Amino acid sequence: MLTNSHFERVYLARGSTDLRKSINGLAVIVKECCDLDTFSPCLFVFCNRKRDKLKMLQWEHNGFWLGLP
């Protein structure tokens, strides 16, 4: 749930992403493809090829949060 979260920015990954990827796979995309810090107070959003599903990744205090809306 995103009710009490504070994000500096929300990033939407360009193109389609294989949503079978787990936290580690999505973190690699953020780090290597987007050249962003995965531990920043930002929300990273990924969508599938059909653009009908989303997956969100966020670092919160001591671990990653993986969300499906």
Side-chain angles (χ1 to χ4, degrees):
M1 187 175 295
L2 299 173
T3 56
N4 294 331
S5 298
H6 171 72
F7 310 118
E8 283 184 7
R9 292 194 169 111
V10 176
Y11 290 100
L12 178 61
R14 291 181 6 182
S16 61
T17 303
D18 182 359
L19 294 187
R20 294 177 292 178
K21 292 187 183 294
S22 64
I23 291 170
N24 293 338
L26 296 175
V28 167
I29 291 172
V30 170
K31 180 76 172 158
E32 294 183 359
C33 297
C34 302
D35 198 29
L36 296 169
D37 181 17
T38 55
F39 303 109
S40 64
C42 299
L43 180 68
F44 302 98
V45 183
F46 305 88
C47 60
N48 64 344
R49 181 177 289 159
K50 291 182 182 179
R51 307 264 195 279
D52 62 350
K53 293 181 177 75
L54 297 174
K55 206 174 227 188
M56 299 176 289
L57 181 70
Q58 179 205 7
W59 175 259
E60 189 170 322
H61 305 294
N62 62 350
F64 281 103
W65 179 87
L66 186 64
L68 304 166

